[in-house]
Amino acid sequence: MRKTCLDMIHRLALTDSRVVYIGSDPSAGTLKQMAKDVPDRFIIEGIAEANLIGMAAGMAMDGLMPFVHTIATFLTRRCLEQVSIDVCLHDLPVRLVGNGGGLVYAPLGPTHTAIDDLALMSALPGMAVVACADADEMTRLMQASLSWPGPLYIRLGKGGDPVISKPGNGFEIGRAIPMREGSDVLLVSTGVMTGRALAAAEMLAADGIGCAVLHAHTVKPFDAAQTVALAQGKRLVASVEEHSRIGGLGAMVLDALAQAGPVPPTLRLALPDSFVHQYGSQDALLERFGLQPAGIAASIAQAIRKR
């Protein structure tokens, strides 16, 4: 997914003179060919994120479309005020590419685990927030990003995730994609958790529980209408995300349901409201917090049995 996103920046830059890449301490050789093809629109700024955002905002004011790329925690926490005031206040078409969303960098500890990025970015006025399911969907998002008028935060996964998206479903920022039908449960997921949600739905089907899956690749603006429509008649509405249970996808789902009327039974599957102090792989920590398919299925089945 990361490679696809960066390759797409290069491809877009070759056809759209607005596109600029600004990197903050990327790995050696990142977009080496882009640096040769369009050297005037390939910038490595260094580890100074507040300045990075100010640069991007200035470029956007002059008609460019900067894609700012660095580790998600540094791009959201370190320069939150600059993103808010420099970019969002002026509604500028800056694209923030957050590398390693969620628990991707769990081996490096709490400083690198982006468990609050969706909440931080969603709270900013005018900021759109997207987390793709796989590399193929990332290609469609990057193409769509050219016509998005305001700020955009793109959460990148680790890469190598199974391709579950389908070209026939299309891609539109702000429109969720139904991935599976089911009569008992609506499971709303985002990012790479959608693949795990689909696997959990298969497990639930074996237990006689029909689980619909809605892939909300856009956390903001959230597709409330489709969520509410698919929730009708369900015994349970569940959300699953690789993010703190505070302020992320689950909050969007609950808000949509509450605005529509009486809230059906709900379940929020997410990381706890705490720093992740454990070190290990992304998969190992997802397992620890019950966010692998078996854990998701078990939590939903337990919630259904209580109804």
Side-chain angles (χ1 to χ4, degrees):
M1 185 185 300
R2 175 181 178 271
K3 184 179 185 304
T4 298
C5 179
L6 296 180
D7 287 347
M8 280 299 295
I9 295 173
H10 181 197
R11 285 174 54 187
L12 295 176
L14 294 176
T15 59
D16 192 322
S17 60
R18 298 174 300 163
V19 174
V20 178
Y21 173 82
I22 308 178
S24 171
D25 192 36
S27 56
T30 295
L31 288 178
K32 183 177 180 180
Q33 190 59 46
M34 181 179 176
K36 294 179 179 179
D37 292 343
V38 284
D40 57 328
R41 288 183 281 131
F42 177 85
I43 301 168
I44 303 299
E45 187 272 346
I47 307 175
E49 288 79 5
N51 185 59
L52 189 79
I53 297 302
M55 286 175 56
M59 291 180 181
M61 286 179 174
D62 281 341
L64 297 173
M65 183 178 289
F67 284 77
V68 183
H69 168 236
T70 191
I71 292 175
T73 49
F74 306 159
L75 191 56
T76 56
R77 294 178 193 160
R78 284 186 179 175
C79 51
L80 184 61
E81 181 175 10
Q82 284 71 30
V83 174
S84 177
I85 302 304
D86 293 358
V87 175
C88 292
L89 180 61
H90 302 285
D91 198 28
L92 297 173
V94 174
R95 283 73 180 101
L96 305 177
V97 182
N99 194 41
L103 298 171
V104 169
Y105 287 117
L108 300 178
T111 57
H112 286 63
T113 47
I115 61 171
D116 51 7
D117 57 330
L118 301 181
L120 291 170
M121 293 294 100
S122 293
L124 299 178
M127 177 69 76
V129 178
V130 177
C132 291
D134 55 45
D136 285 9
E137 188 171 67
M138 179 59 68
T139 299
R140 294 187 279 276
L141 162 63
M142 294 300 286
Q143 193 64 52
S145 72
L146 287 181
S147 58
W148 187 255
L152 175 63
Y153 175 67
I154 301 169
R155 184 196 238 209
L156 292 187
K158 182 178 183 180
D161 301 287
V163 174
I164 59 168
S165 65
K166 300 176 181 178
N169 288 333
F171 188 93
E172 180 182 342
I173 295 173
R175 184 185 66 83
I177 300 175
M179 302 290 286
R180 180 189 174 101
E181 296 182 347
S183 58
D184 298 307
V185 178
L186 172 62
L187 179 53
V188 186
S189 58
T190 191
V192 298
M193 295 307 296
T194 295
R196 292 170 172 85
L198 288 169
E202 289 287 343
M203 296 176 182
L204 290 166
D207 288 337
I209 300 173
C211 183
V213 176
L214 179 64
H215 173 45
H217 50 68
T218 306
V219 176
K220 182 192 174 190
F222 184 68
D223 191 346
Q226 192 163 198
T227 301
V228 170
L230 293 176
Q232 299 303 309
K234 297 296 191 293
R235 298 167 62 189
L236 179 73
V237 177
S239 61
V240 60
E241 58 191 311
E242 187 183 2
H243 186 272
S244 165
R245 70 185 314 276
I246 306 299
L249 175 68
M252 294 293 187
V253 172
L254 285 175
D255 182 67
L257 296 174
Q259 292 290 332
V263 178
T266 59
L267 175 67
R268 295 174 66 178
L269 301 175
L271 298 170
D273 178 24
S274 63
F275 286 102
V276 179
H277 291 287
Q278 297 81 11
Y279 291 79
S281 70
Q282 178 185 23
D283 280 334
L285 289 187
L286 287 173
E287 180 77 29
R288 179 185 184 94
F289 293 111
L291 296 177
Q292 293 285 29
I296 295 168
S299 294
I300 290 174
Q302 183 181 33
I304 286 287
R305 286 193 293 268
K306 289 181 179 179
R307 302 300 170 189

